[in-house]
Amino acid sequence: MTSTDNKRSVDPKPSSGELDENALFYHRYPRPGKLEIQATKPLGNQRDLALAYSPGVAAPCLAIRDNPDAAAAYTARSNLVAVVSNGTAVLGLGNIGPLASKPVMEGKAVLFKKFAGIDVFDIEIDAPDVGRMVTVVSALEPTFGGINLEDIKSPECFEVEQQLREIMDIPVFHDDQHGTAIIVAACILNGLELAGKKIEDAKIVTSGAGAAALACLNLLVALGARRENIWVHDIDGLVYEGREVMMDQWKSVYAQKSDNRVLADSIGGADVFLGLSAAGVLKPEMLTSMAENPLVMALANPSPEIMPDEARAARPDAMICTGRSDFPNQVNNVLCFPYIFRGALDCGARTINEEMKMAAVRAIAALAKEEPSDIAARAYSGETPVFGPEYLIPSPFDQRLILRIAPAVAKAAAESGVARRPIADMDAYVDQLNRFVFRSGLIMKPLFTAAKTAVRKRVIFAEGEDERVLRAAQVLLEEGTAEPMLIGRPGIIESRLQRFGLRIRPGTDFTVINPEDDPRFRDYVDEYFSIVGRKGVIPEAARTIVRTNSTVIGSLAVRRGEADALICGLEGRYTKHLRDVSQIIGKREGVIDFSALSLLISQRGATFFTDTYVSFDPCAEEIAETTIMAAQEIRRFGINPKAALLSHSNFGSRDSDSADKMRKALKIIRSQEPGLEVDGEMHGDSAISEVLRRRVMPDSTLSGEANLLVFPDLDAANIALGVVKTMTEALHVGPILLGTALPAHILSPSVTSRGVVNMATLAVVEASSGD
């Protein structure tokens, strides 16, 4: 593990004792450790057991015997990585041994799973010498698709990796070396670009000559840096020709023919300082002799070679990077290692070569120049950073990292001839990764496709100054999904776009309705008063409401045909927004009342819940209407609705007003929508499990698992939605407002910018279909 891996950096805020206590509790409860194994296939009956083990398992075994590459199709090997360590160089702890290093390796496994969906077994081995470690690790090749070496002391780590790469036909990657090198190289490329310098001309001075530092230098040389411009220092000073103390074949490559011996002698005129050594090594006075606009990479953790405030005081023009999360430009290995393995595994790479590493470097460097995503922005306090001296590399939480790095790595593997299964359709592969990132990608894809192919529709956003709306507006414009119209003060919108690093501009890329000064104000007031004038609202109050209520403004714009759909609700109470929408836009002809449909996307797939926000105690007719409207909406997603009317009663097991209401609703639905697959009243587990349902009602008209759960009242629906969402960590899309005369949706204050994009896209499709 390198000095740049954030999972072991120290947050300076909590005391050491408090941090230790919290960490021990975290690792012990509610169950020890950070990992578990879950089955991916059902094991619910004798048939499942026969398929999973004997005798069914013989078929895939024989298929793999005849064709070893078939293991990628029939086993988890192609998505399984071993994180291997002997515990001889655990950052900050030293040689603590393999058993004590296990919490670290479990942590690494969690990062693989969280950021790239890769399964990991952490393997701690009692193998302090090179030969034994190579023997043990190489014997693991049939189990894994890749090997991530971790926390092995130098120089043994070089020998272990080199021998394993020669023996094994799967990727072997020592993250301490190459993960750090990739991030450092991306940072240096961008820093030199900002300084107007070329890598082949840059003087690079390092403090530290361990595995990470030498790997950084090797990669920089591959990218164009010249060895004669690289000055390496370790605990014994400059690495120079003729030196015999603490030298090895890897370090001696960078030996200089010079009389310099200490860092202060070498750093004059340096364009880059690369520190992977110890706290306080770089003194402020040393920086004064560096070249103009120097890049200072002080990566020792937890205390860097020089603190950023000291470096900035000595050299205000310096660009500064550390390995810490509490300063800008954090060099963190999680920026790359999950995604390099993702790309390598997906194309069946035999190794991770220099071409693949350089592809990752360039992908990371390029991503830093894009506008930060909303998730990345939330990782920062204050203004969102944009590409510049304090934002040379992306945030570790930028969800686009996998979308840029994994395809670049897979493409480089194919072009360099090490991919067993080259990715034939890169667009489809990126789409697959995108679904992993957003989880809503697969479910939303039919809607995104329909919205892009339809005539462009105008979507008006009531909370136009909100950061989430601004980010969503840029995505909608980039993807050609909609024409955003934002309600807000132009000056505020302009300043926030600049703060968040977004390039779209009001009046040029999208329309702004300024509630403080819009030429349509009088017409809007007259229109609003004509609607509510006989409902207790006097003319003066109407003028005030139109001036101050953005949902009213947006609803009027839709009613007047100046916008095609409304998105509101990011601030304030749902009922307040619903009142305004109801008064101005109104219900669709023939609809009894509004209702709300919510979609949860989890590992199980898509499940719709209704009515989750509107009707407190709907009658049977309203439940039937809601179910039919919800089914129509679900079909927009390309999903065949299967509705279950839920109750405490299971097919007549109990009599109550609530159960009777659901039975009546079922009769109405079947008479009005005979083609809809629906049944009830039933328990929640009967709706989900066909096995349980068949035991009670063998001739149920519902097959498989219900994907539309219809609840008897608002309490049940809203509570179930919140509990399931939290317990399954499902993604919520909605609420989708049903029954409006024109497209309008009231979101919740917790919605993300991606959620705003999803709902705006749905509104576009609704506006295009005209129903």
Side-chain angles (χ1 to χ4, degrees), residues 650-651 653 686 690-699:
N650 203 26
F651 296 104
S653 64
S686 294
E690 185 173 26
V691 173
L692 293 177
R693 186 166 62 250
R694 295 295 180 190
R695 288 176 184 171
V696 180
M697 185 56 56
D699 61 348

Side-chain angles (χ1 to χ4, degrees), residues 273-342:
F273 168 79
L274 174 58
L276 286 155
S277 53
V281 168
L282 183 63
K283 307 302 181 185
E285 56 271 19
M286 296 181 187
L287 271 68
T288 60
S289 65
M290 292 185 71
E292 184 180 1
N293 298 317
L295 176 58
V296 177
M297 306 192 71
L299 306 182
N301 249 344
S303 299
E305 284 79 2
I306 187 170
M307 293 299 291
D309 53 346
E310 289 184 282
R312 192 164 287 107
R315 287 299 298 266
D317 62 336
M319 294 170 280
I320 306 166
C321 307
T322 70
R324 292 171 51 143
S325 60
D326 51 347
F327 293 109
N329 291 324
Q330 184 200 9
V331 175
N332 189 329
N333 287 20
V334 80
L335 277 165
C336 73
F337 73 78
Y339 318 120
I340 290 172
F341 270 99
R342 181 73 280 158

Side-chain angles (χ1 to χ4, degrees), residues 185-518:
C187 202
I188 288 177
L189 288 183
N190 280 347
L192 291 175
E193 178 181 327
L194 284 173
K197 302 173 183 178
K198 297 181 179 180
I199 190 169
E200 57 266 29
D201 301 326
K203 179 179 179 180
I204 302 169
V205 177
T206 75
S207 174
L214 293 176
C216 290
L217 296 178
N218 292 340
L219 187 54
L220 290 172
V221 169
L223 289 165
R226 293 204 288 256
R227 294 183 189 273
E228 59 266 28
N229 291 340
I230 297 174
W231 299 71
V232 179
H233 300 76
D234 60 12
I235 195 170
D236 285 303
L238 179 70
V239 174
Y240 60 89
E241 290 185 5
R243 179 177 139 176
E244 297 180 356
V245 178
M246 290 188 65
M247 292 294 289
D248 55 53
Q249 58 178 317
W250 298 278
K251 193 185 300 184
S252 61
V253 171
Y254 295 100
Q256 285 279 5
K257 189 175 183 179
S258 172
D259 293 331
N260 293 345
R261 290 296 181 266
V262 296
L263 184 61
D265 295 335
S266 304
I267 203 166
D271 300 289
V272 178
F273 168 79
L274 174 58
L276 286 155
S277 53
V281 168
L282 183 63
K283 307 302 181 185
E285 56 271 19
M286 296 181 187
L287 271 68
T288 60
S289 65
M290 292 185 71
E292 184 180 1
N293 298 317
L295 176 58
V296 177
M297 306 192 71
L299 306 182
N301 249 344
S303 299
E305 284 79 2
I306 187 170
M307 293 299 291
D309 53 346
E310 289 184 282
R312 192 164 287 107
R315 287 299 298 266
D317 62 336
M319 294 170 280
I320 306 166
C321 307
T322 70
R324 292 171 51 143
S325 60
D326 51 347
F327 293 109
N329 291 324
Q330 184 200 9
V331 175
N332 189 329
N333 287 20
V334 80
L335 277 165
C336 73
F337 73 78
Y339 318 120
I340 290 172
F341 270 99
R342 181 73 280 158
L345 292 172
D346 290 340
C347 70
R350 300 178 187 277
T351 186
I352 295 176
N353 58 24
E354 291 302 306
E355 291 85 352
M356 295 162 72
K357 288 187 283 185
M358 287 191 287
V361 171
R362 295 190 175 98
I364 294 167
L367 179 57
K369 301 171 188 176
E370 298 183 31
E371 295 89 350
S373 68
D374 61 316
I375 293 178
R378 289 201 298 270
Y380 297 90
S381 58
E383 295 190 358
T384 305
V386 295
F387 179 61
E390 294 196 349
Y391 190 71
L392 297 173
I393 47 177
S395 161
F397 296 99
D398 194 322
Q399 75 274 42
R400 296 169 298 179
L401 284 162
I402 191 173
L403 304 178
R404 304 294 186 270
I405 299 173
V409 168
K411 182 179 179 182
E415 292 176 348
S416 60
V418 299
R420 286 188 184 86
R421 304 183 301 275
I423 295 172
D425 188 339
M426 193 59 70
D427 289 338
Y429 177 56
V430 172
D431 185 57
Q432 174 187 331
L433 295 174
N434 194 66
R435 294 199 299 269
F436 169 77
V437 171
F438 294 116
R439 289 189 294 172
S440 59
L442 178 61
I443 303 300
M444 293 297 299
K445 187 172 182 179
L447 296 179
F448 285 126
T449 301
K452 289 179 181 179
T453 56
V455 176
R456 191 77 62 88
K457 297 297 181 181
R458 301 158 297 174
V459 179
I460 190 165
F461 296 89
E463 293 85 7
E465 297 175 1
D466 191 285
E467 177 186 355
R468 293 164 292 179
V469 169
L470 297 176
R471 294 186 180 281
Q474 176 154 304
V475 172
L476 292 169
L477 286 167
E478 288 177 345
E479 296 182 353
T481 306
E483 293 182 9
M485 299 174 64
L486 275 56
I487 301 173
R489 295 160 291 179
I492 298 297
I493 291 174
E494 179 73 38
S495 65
R496 289 183 178 177
L497 287 170
Q498 293 178 354
R499 182 197 307 171
F500 303 138
L502 303 175
R503 64 173 178 273
I504 57 174
R505 291 294 174 261
T508 302
D509 301 304
F510 59 90
T511 303
V512 175
I513 295 180
N514 182 1
E516 296 179 346
D517 182 20
D518 191 277

Side-chain angles (χ1 to χ4, degrees), residues 555-629:
S555 299
L556 288 168
V558 173
R559 178 187 174 98
R560 289 164 55 87
E562 297 167 359
D564 300 300
L566 167 68
I567 299 294
C568 63
L570 280 78
E571 299 174 3
R573 294 182 178 179
Y574 189 93
T575 53
K576 178 177 177 293
H577 293 285
L578 182 60
R579 179 201 64 198
D580 296 332
V581 171
S582 176
Q583 286 181 338
I584 301 168
I585 294 178
K587 295 189 289 288
R588 189 189 315 160
E589 185 178 355
V591 169
I592 302 171
D593 198 4
F594 301 105
S595 58
L597 176 68
S598 290
L599 164 61
L600 291 185
I601 304 171
S602 67
Q603 292 182 347
R604 295 181 60 88
T607 307
F608 294 84
F609 294 65
T610 197
D611 170 11
T612 50
Y613 278 84
V614 179
S615 300
F616 289 99
D617 188 15
C619 64
E621 289 75 14
E622 290 173 321
I623 289 174
E625 177 183 80
T626 293
T627 304
I628 293 171
M629 289 193 297

